[in-house]
Amino acid sequence: MLQKREKTIAGDERQTLDAVVVGAGAGGLYALLRLKREGRTVRLFEAGSEVGGTWYWNNYPGARVDVPSLEYSYSFDRALQQEWVWPERYSAQPQLQAYFSHVADRYGLRDQITFETKVVSAEFDESRSLWKVRTDGGEVVWARFFIVATGPLSEPIFPKIEGMSTFKGTSVHTGRWKTDGADVAHKRVGVIGTGSSGAQIAPELAKTARKLHLLQRTPAYSVPSQNKVLDAQEIAHLKSNYDAIREHARANRSALGIDVNDVGAFEVSEDERQRIFEERWQYGGLGFTAAFGDLYLDVDANKTAADFVRQKIREIVEDADVADRLMPDTLIGAKRLCVDNGYFQMFNRDNVELVDLRENPVLEIDETGIVTAQGHIDLDVIVYATGFDAFTGSILKIDIRGRGGKELKAVWDSGPRTYLGLCVAGFPNMFIVNGPGSPAGLANMVTLAETEVDWIVDCIQSIDRQGKSEIEAIQEKQDCWGRTLNEMAEQTIYPLANSWYVGANVPGKPRNFMSHLDYPEYVRSCRASAESGYADFRVE
Ligand code: FAD
Ligand code: NAP
């Protein structure tokens, strides 16, 4: 479809595109690729200077996937699957960055991407059924469809600590390592945060830092990745079974090839339970909490897995006092489980010190370090591994206005509301990828992005075939979707933790569980909608 150009009353030339995509991560790149293949006119705006999204920004030492690389990759092209080599079971950030860069080159996507450009506003013009999209460079683009692929974990958050800005050393957030990264060799480093980012970066920095202080507020559950280099034989074997690997993963709630043991934790003897946990621990990765079918459903069952990890911490950490302080006392898995490469082992190093913020809180940051209740920690570098304003942070950074000029920020005042995680009532022709209300955060998000983008592109094609110009979520359907999500979540332990899944990591953010818990069920809902000709939407 040729790009339309028209003159406005003011005489400026106006581009009218089929679609504007925001974000060049896994989701946005695939959206661009699919729309391009359908002959659509598209432009993609990306704040960073390269593709990759998460894997562009989070290039901190130790960054790597917590799900197997063979699975955390696109499946749409068998040739791509076969030609790309993942060198490790859990590949590191440079390989992921290279992969997305290769995809951009291989499918000729770069011409349509404008880098180092943020979309700052998007407004739906009801009279023309078009989105008016404005960038921070002042460019205005008009498009029929507005595709928001800004990432569920792309808006970093910093704690509010008095004196932060006075620190004279280097301050850096893991999620902005790309632009602000630090060389820590022979330096005194403080890492704040013990989520997945903190658990990944700290052991890596400790290898070269003069001294590393890990500032822990909530002790984390972490399991070993048991990462390894894949040899040629293993790679060949996996690749010859790729279709089966994908099929197995897509049948799983998490869209990952995790073998879920449907047996309950108390349906086996104590010895058998320990044997199964040990087997999963030795295998490595997120499959640990799939050791029994009720670990996410039953608090007592959950405790058996938590106890197992606590025992492992006692065995690994040589100093009993440090081990005690590292002991998590929450539910395992209710916050995302960390998958590490030597996290607990790191505390056996002479140059690593654990600072337990529960007994020794941070009072302030000054020019030379962090002041805690027990004294001053002299630092050259402060690493904020303090997480993200998940799901809504990057979307609401854009001033999005739908029907009647209504602000998305106002509509989501008490939490994000979507239908199928893809659309929002009052915001016609806007689609979100890896957004709230989808299985984002809990499912393999490359697979999920493919699923969602395929649905979006098929939907656009269908609207055109029907000669229609608008598609919009229906309020009642959206409310019902929200209730279904809550009902699913309430049967699990997820709402019980103060995690980013519920927005509890951002002061003042309304508490909502923002994910769909079951990828196959989610796919069925999306498919049913498409098969009904989008009868569950308003199409005009
Ligand atoms: P992103 O990759 O976040 O890309 C969004 C892009 O949008 C970014 O490049 C951003 O710059 C751009 N953008 C945002 N706002 C604007 C704007 N206004 N204008 C222009 N551009 C904008 N998930 C897993 O399933 N497995 C993992 O192992 C895993 N590891 C992770 C490790 C880290 C360190 C983090 C932070 C997340 C991880 N995730 C993981 C989640 C990860 O975010 C998703 O898997 C996936 O990368 C999301 O892709 P996306 O395209 O939706 O978003
Ligand atoms: P996170 O899970 O939200 O962890 C943030 C950490 O910072 C928590 O330990 C939190 O403590 C701490 N923190 C926040 N504010 C603090 C303060 N004021 N003082 C002291 N500590 C503070 O964020 P993340 O580690 O960046 O991970 C986010 C998600 O990204 C992960 O859950 C995962 O999905 C993804 N990720 C994946 C990988 C991977 O292995 N592939 C790596 C990184 C990220 P509290 O717990 O007490 O709030």
Side-chain angles (χ1 to χ4, degrees), residues 214-233:
L214 184 64
L215 287 82
Q216 165 192 273
R217 186 166 67 183
T218 307
Y221 288 101
S222 192
V223 296
S225 70
Q226 311 290 15
N227 186 32
K228 60 175 184 175
V229 172
L230 298 170
D231 65 34
Q233 230 181 334

Side-chain angles (χ1 to χ4, degrees), residues 234-248:
E234 272 174 294
I235 292 174
H237 174 72
L238 288 166
K239 284 195 173 175
S240 63
N241 287 296
Y242 229 137
D243 285 354
I245 290 171
R246 296 290 192 190
E247 200 184 320
H248 177 49

Side-chain angles (χ1 to χ4, degrees), residues 182-495:
D183 176 11
V184 305
H186 315 298
K187 303 224 169 99
R188 300 160 303 176
V189 185
V191 175
I192 306 178
T194 54
S196 304
S197 301
Q200 275 193 336
I201 194 172
E204 212 46 44
L205 298 186
K207 289 178 187 166
T208 59
R210 172 151 46 118
K211 178 94 188 184
L212 185 135
H213 303 263
L214 184 64
L215 287 82
Q216 165 192 273
R217 186 166 67 183
T218 307
Y221 288 101
S222 192
V223 296
S225 70
Q226 311 290 15
N227 186 32
K228 60 175 184 175
V229 172
L230 298 170
D231 65 34
Q233 230 181 334
E234 272 174 294
I235 292 174
H237 174 72
L238 288 166
K239 284 195 173 175
S240 63
N241 287 296
Y242 229 137
D243 285 354
I245 290 171
R246 296 290 192 190
E247 200 184 320
H248 177 49
R250 283 177 189 273
N252 196 300
R253 278 169 175 259
S254 59
L256 290 168
I258 288 173
D259 286 318
V260 182
N261 181 6
D262 282 335
V263 173
F266 297 111
E267 288 179 50
V268 298
S269 68
E270 170 68 16
D271 282 356
E272 177 62 358
R273 196 160 51 238
Q274 295 307 312
R275 188 195 66 73
I276 290 173
F277 281 138
E278 183 63 34
E279 193 177 73
R280 298 255 170 173
W281 181 274
Q282 293 307 334
Y283 184 74
L286 294 172
F288 179 78
T289 44
F292 296 100
D294 52 0
L295 298 183
Y296 283 94
L297 305 175
D298 179 79
V299 170
D300 292 330
N302 185 279
K303 186 172 177 300
T304 64
D307 284 344
F308 182 90
V309 176
R310 285 191 276 260
Q311 183 52 33
K312 284 289 181 192
I313 298 171
R314 269 187 204 97
E315 288 165 19
I316 297 168
V317 180
E318 289 158 9
D319 183 324
D321 203 40
V322 175
D324 275 348
R325 290 187 164 82
L326 285 169
M327 223 43 85
D329 56 6
T330 47
L331 294 159
I332 185 170
K335 276 186 177 179
R336 189 177 179 95
L337 185 62
C338 301
V339 176
D340 72 85
N341 297 282
Y343 175 63
F344 293 118
Q345 288 81 351
M346 171 188 77
F347 294 96
N348 296 333
R349 296 179 69 105
D350 291 339
N351 67 335
V352 173
E353 193 172 321
L354 178 67
V355 181
D356 186 345
L357 298 180
R358 292 169 305 178
E359 57 187 38
N360 183 20
V362 170
L363 301 180
E364 63 168 323
I365 293 178
D366 65 14
E367 289 186 4
T368 56
I370 297 178
V371 185
T372 72
Q374 286 174 10
H376 191 272
I377 306 171
D378 298 335
L379 296 171
D380 304 304
V381 179
I382 299 178
V383 176
Y384 293 92
T386 45
F388 301 86
D389 183 354
F391 291 111
T392 54
S394 61
I395 301 176
L396 294 180
K397 270 261 166 130
I398 305 172
D399 180 6
I400 300 177
R401 289 164 195 255
R403 201 176 283 293
K406 202 158 210 179
E407 287 176 74
L408 184 62
K409 195 177 247 162
V411 173
W412 282 4
D413 191 37
S414 55
R417 309 282 182 257
T418 65
Y419 181 54
L420 299 177
L422 290 160
C423 298
V424 184
F427 296 79
N429 295 359
M430 178 179 93
F431 299 102
I432 306 174
V433 183
N434 281 336
S438 79
L442 293 169
N444 176 344
M445 281 190 259
V446 179
T447 302
L448 177 63
E450 284 185 302
T451 304
E452 294 193 331
V453 167
D454 285 342
W455 187 94
I456 293 166
V457 176
D458 290 350
C459 174
I460 291 174
Q461 298 289 81
S462 165
I463 288 167
D464 278 0
R465 272 197 308 274
Q466 293 176 48
K468 309 282 187 183
S469 58
E470 282 183 19
I471 180 160
E472 181 184 349
I474 296 168
Q475 187 67 50
E476 294 74 41
K477 297 275 178 196
Q478 181 170 297
D479 294 345
C480 181
W481 184 255
R483 281 195 297 275
T484 305
L485 253 54
N486 284 337
E487 282 161 18
M488 284 174 106
E490 273 158 20
Q491 289 166 32
T492 72
I493 57 162
Y494 284 111

